[in-house]
Amino acid sequence: MPTYKAPVSDTVFLLNDVFDYKKYANYPGFSEAPIDVVEAILTEGARFVEEVVQPLNRVGDLEGCKRHDDGAVSTPKGFKAAYKALVEGGWVGLAGDPAFGGQGLPPFLAVLFSEYECSANLAFAMYPGLTNGAVAALTVHGSDELKSRFLPKMTTGEWTGTMNLTEPQCGTDLGLIKTRAVPRGDGSYAITGQKIFISAGEHDLAENIVHLVLARIEGAPAGVKGISLFLIPKYLPDAEGKPGERNGVVCGSIEHKMGIHGNSTAVLNYDGAKGWLVGEEHRGLPAMFVMMNGARLGVAVQGLSLSEVAYQNAAAYAKDRRQGRSLKGAAEPDKPADILLVHPDVRRMLLEIRAFNEAARAFLVWIALTQDEARHAPDTKARQAAEDRLGLMTPVLKGVFTDLGFGNAVMAQQVLGGHGYIAEWGMEQFVRDARIAMIYEGANGIQALDLVGRKLPKDGGRAIMAFLGEISQLLGQSKDDAALAPYLGGLQNALGHLQQATVWLSRNGVADPDNAGAASTDYMHLFGLTALGYMWTRIVKAVLARQARGDSSPALDAKLTLARFFSERMLPETGARLARLSAGAATLMTLPAEAF
């Protein structure tokens, strides 16, 4: 059976030493969350997910969710009690508005806790994760009446939330939505249509489920400009705010899918369901994008989370399993064989995963804190810079973290050999669960197109130029630091490749849009690798500073070795990415359709 230990000490190191947590002390909510309190919260959160949530991961995978004849869905054994404990412990509302029952802690803390939760049990973590996304959208775009009726229960997790976009005929192309909304004359609407792939769409964990649904009001313009957003509860609240009359939304079926079996992925049928407009008519997508952008960061977390838990179990196996002998001769002659860690290729796989995990966690912490900067930085310029960074990095985080998270789960499975393919060891579940993260909340090809087509040219390239400048500044400031010098070469090369790729896109992408499309995935990964290299450089600077103060722990030495490994063996991939994207679109677009 797989195990999991949340990396609390690594998270706290990043906050304290790499990102100078104390500089946020004057931000709202941070005064109640000094670093010792943050560490205590993360430690308790780690205990909860390790002891309560993680043991249900395999249970959820084996049992899945069950739909009954009346459309009700029951979750796997133990999920209901665990979810109740999650709500009662205040974990769903960790960063929620105290006016609606939340704890009012800084939002970054909820992001960091979600890494642990997703590593422990991704299918379970999706229920509160989607709820928090719905709360965010309703907070920004909902009327005061809707907020007062629904946010108190949703913020605490007593009621859960969903996001309803996809229909049988439309996924990425939301302009094809057919679900219709008809005014009822009392300020509400009757919504009719079918939504598919709705995560947590029907279940028995909460007494009510609040759906945020994209639909088209009668007479609305065609395409995405005619889409509106509606709030549709499973049960209509009564005069006391309790679940009352059953609304016209029913689960028609639940999907039988590759992974995340413990999460109920529903087909929802709306038959004149009563709902209320969220935001303005025909402006549903901007409202929904509040939830979608948060969800994309949440899915990036999932990529890291599964990479981390897969690594932990693969490393434990490699330290215990005995197969073959060291190429240099028997490492332990008195044993029948040596442990797997004597084999260079096993070490390569484990080090690739871990080098990603530690840099990706730093990237996540950086962007989680950037969210708080965008809301509360003391001056307009700093808030704008934070907003720019968030917009630029969101598709990179989602696309790169989930691509590599899946790849790392496969590598960890390979470390276990035949046992990795056998269900009881848990690795094949990690692989199956990780696969969906590359698809939902915008397939990764769409993330890459968003990066090159929208985020790079936005505001005249202000965000990308700021990022390139930030790395250049770090390299310039560090060039005379002898201790840091061995770690800078890889990042310097990667930065040069990213600069060349950006210039190539600016010259060739506009002239032929297919060039931008053909280059997009390679560019996204080149960008992601460079950003991870930047994170490793910042980590190394923090480690060297700690060591200069007399801290000589093995954990710090390990980080330096991982940084060298990443620079020497992983960052060179940026050169290959540059070569591929610079080849242009010609060979991709030449074959006629009938030749495929």
Side-chain angles (χ1 to χ4, degrees), residues 448-459:
L449 286 173
D450 180 45
L451 175 64
V452 303
R454 293 189 179 95
K455 302 303 171 60
L456 289 187
K458 188 174 186 292
D459 301 312

Side-chain angles (χ1 to χ4, degrees), residues 38-119:
V38 169
E39 184 171 9
I41 291 170
L42 292 177
T43 299
E44 181 58 23
R47 185 202 62 77
F48 179 81
V49 301
E50 290 163 8
E51 297 178 5
V52 178
V53 179
Q54 191 275 335
L56 298 174
N57 190 46
R58 180 157 162 75
V59 174
D61 188 54
L62 291 175
E63 291 188 9
C65 297
K66 295 179 176 62
R67 179 187 177 275
H68 305 286
D69 291 342
D70 61 355
V73 172
S74 54
T75 51
K77 181 180 178 181
F79 271 47
K80 196 169 183 178
Y83 186 77
K84 184 174 184 288
L86 187 80
V87 171
E88 291 177 347
W91 295 107
V92 181
L94 196 64
D97 188 340
F100 299 115
Q103 298 201 46
L105 290 164
F108 85 90
L109 195 52
V111 176
L112 303 189
F113 171 68
S114 74
E115 183 204 332
Y116 306 165
E117 195 177 19
C118 291
S119 284

